[in-house]
Amino acid sequence: MRIGQGFDAHRYGEPATATEIVLGGVKVAFDKAIVAHSDGDVLIHALCDALLGASAQGDLGSHFPDSDSAFAGADSRHLLRETCRLIDSAGFSISNVDMTLIAQAPRISPFIQEMCNVLAEDMGIEAAQVSIKATTTEGLGFTGRGEGIAAQAVVLLA
């Protein structure tokens, strides 16, 4: 059994045209954009780092660097599927994942089950093996001031 943890954070910016962001592979209506090299899905980025950490295979940036234009605007679901291939190749299987989104907004409770389903499908596991929670920081720090969003993930590999 191997445990891994991951963290990711991104700033909010003004949306160019879109009125939604991607979280946990699901489009969520929001009046700000996430500033990132890829689609900025903090839940998936934290999850990939946790998976890679548990299997001692580095981090998301070492496999999909933001200095590589090939990953500009990348769909984080693709990065997750590729990460899972690395995990499988190393002989590990995912027992469960537990993630926390940290933000004052947007509210994600209506999307949590869909996120669990999407992520489980991409990882090749059951939705019951995926937990997603959300919390605020009660107005404290960059997330509390509405300047950005963060996520944490913990995984257990067998």
Side-chain angles (χ1 to χ4, degrees):
M1 306 284 260
R2 307 274 297 264
I3 297 170
Q5 66 87 30
F7 176 83
D8 193 43
H10 287 288
R11 288 180 293 137
Y12 286 142
E14 294 303 315
T17 55
T19 57
E20 59 193 17
I21 59 176
V22 180
L23 296 171
V26 174
K27 292 180 180 177
V28 175
F30 195 50
D31 62 351
K32 296 180 182 176
I34 293 179
V35 178
H37 184 69
S38 66
D39 63 10
D41 190 329
V42 293
L43 276 172
I44 290 181
H45 296 175
L47 176 57
C48 288
D49 270 347
L51 290 164
L52 291 165
S55 62
Q57 295 189 68
D59 62 14
L60 191 64
S62 64
H63 293 276
F64 313 104
D66 63 6
S67 58
D68 187 338
S69 62
F71 302 114
D75 180 343
S76 293
R77 290 184 67 192
H78 171 74
L79 303 180
L80 176 58
R81 290 188 294 269
E82 290 299 315
T83 297
C84 288
R85 281 191 249 296
L86 292 169
I87 300 309
D88 290 341
S89 295
F92 294 105
S93 62
I94 300 168
S95 295
N96 73 299
V97 302
D98 184 23
M99 294 167 280
T100 303
L101 182 74
I102 306 159
Q104 291 299 123
R107 296 193 54 79
I108 66 158
S109 56
F111 305 97
I112 288 178
Q113 190 57 56
E114 183 181 0
M115 290 176 187
C116 289
N117 294 340
V118 165
L119 296 177
E121 179 182 331
D122 287 347
M123 290 184 284
I125 61 176
E126 299 296 319
Q129 294 170 270
V130 180
S131 172
I132 299 173
K133 306 168 302 295
T135 191
T136 69
T137 56
E138 303 295 332
L140 299 172
F142 77 94
T143 60
R145 290 187 301 271
E147 297 169 1
I149 190 167
Q152 296 176 322
V154 176
V155 304
L156 180 64
L157 301 182

